[in-house]
């Protein structure tokens, strides 16, 4: 069962230029470390500075996906996996958790109140495309791709 948003399913994804995956604890600390690690790898692989728009987008997207994995996709004692891929023209952030039955909605929902519910709206705003894939009965992966340039490459 697969659920995609904002994707062209007729084209296969190109082979990544670079790829790295790590597990983090399903805690706020784990989410913070994942966010820091993602932006560090982004700047190392792309040569773009920490204060560039794409780097800021990577920070925000990683923070939201990791936070959602902990809040909505975590079982007690289970970690989440962060996978980073440098693809031609874009940087892909994937967060895999242990709740495949809890899929994100097909469209980013309107905020339920003034203090929460904006995460997927932010991901949608900062990512070139994003979606969710379930490949087995035990995990789901929510991913987002940040464009390396703001000119739409």
């Amino acid at each position: 069962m697969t659920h995609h948003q904002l994707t062209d399913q007729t084209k296969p994804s190109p082979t990544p230029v670079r790829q790295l995956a790590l597990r983090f604890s399903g805690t706020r600390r784990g989410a913070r470390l994942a966010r820091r690690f993602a932006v560090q790898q982004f700047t190392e692989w792309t040569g773009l500075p920490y204060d560039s728009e794409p780097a800021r987008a990577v920070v925000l997207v990683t923070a939201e996906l990791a936070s959602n994995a902990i809040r909505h996709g975590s079982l007690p004692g289970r970690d989440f996996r962060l996978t980073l891929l440098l693809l031609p023209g874009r940087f892909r952030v994937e967060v895999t958790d242990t709740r495949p039955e809890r899929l994100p909605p097909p469209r980013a929902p309107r905020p339920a109140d003034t203090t929460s519910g904006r995460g997927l709206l932010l991901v949608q705003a900062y990512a070139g495309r994003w979606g969710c894939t379930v490949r087995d009965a035990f995990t789901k992966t929510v991913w987002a791709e940040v464009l390396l340039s703001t000119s739409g490459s």
Side-chain angles (χ1 to χ4, degrees), residues 24 29-39 62-63 66 80 82 84:
F24 291 91
R29 182 174 187 266
R32 184 176 64 248
L33 291 172
R35 183 190 73 228
R36 288 180 158 185
F37 179 75
V39 74
T62 305
F80 68 91
L82 173 71
L84 306 173

Side-chain angles (χ1 to χ4, degrees), residues 24-100:
F24 291 91
S25 66
T27 63
R28 290 184 351 197
R29 182 174 187 266
R32 184 176 64 248
L33 291 172
R35 183 190 73 228
R36 288 180 158 185
F37 179 75
V39 74
Q40 173 65 36
Q41 282 305 126
F42 175 83
T43 59
E44 185 177 315
W45 286 350
T46 65
L48 293 171
Y50 282 99
D51 63 349
S52 67
E53 284 210 27
R56 283 184 252 164
V58 166
V59 168
L60 187 131
V61 164
T62 305
E64 291 302 330
L65 295 184
S67 174
N68 283 348
I70 292 164
R71 182 174 292 147
H72 305 293
S74 181
L75 291 171
R78 299 286 175 98
D79 297 340
F80 68 91
R81 183 177 66 227
L82 173 71
T83 303
L84 306 173
L85 299 100
L86 180 61
L87 301 165
R90 61 197 189 279
F91 186 80
R92 184 172 173 127
V93 177
E94 298 180 348
V95 174
T96 303
D97 65 45
T98 56
R99 298 292 301 267

Side-chain angles (χ1 to χ4, degrees), residues 57-150:
V58 166
V59 168
L60 187 131
V61 164
T62 305
E64 291 302 330
L65 295 184
S67 174
N68 283 348
I70 292 164
R71 182 174 292 147
H72 305 293
S74 181
L75 291 171
R78 299 286 175 98
D79 297 340
F80 68 91
R81 183 177 66 227
L82 173 71
T83 303
L84 306 173
L85 299 100
L86 180 61
L87 301 165
R90 61 197 189 279
F91 186 80
R92 184 172 173 127
V93 177
E94 298 180 348
V95 174
T96 303
D97 65 45
T98 56
R99 298 292 301 267
E101 75 282 3
R102 297 191 76 184
L103 298 175
R107 292 180 180 239
R110 304 293 299 168
D113 59 43
T114 58
T115 60
S116 67
R118 296 176 189 211
L120 290 178
L121 285 172
L122 291 171
V123 169
Q124 184 173 311
Y126 283 89
R129 39 184 224 153
W130 70 281
C132 179
T133 305
V134 176
R135 292 189 180 98
D136 59 42
F138 306 104
T139 61
K140 79 168 173 298
T141 300
V142 182
W143 55 268
E145 294 179 350
V146 174
L147 299 178
L148 296 182
S149 74
T150 55

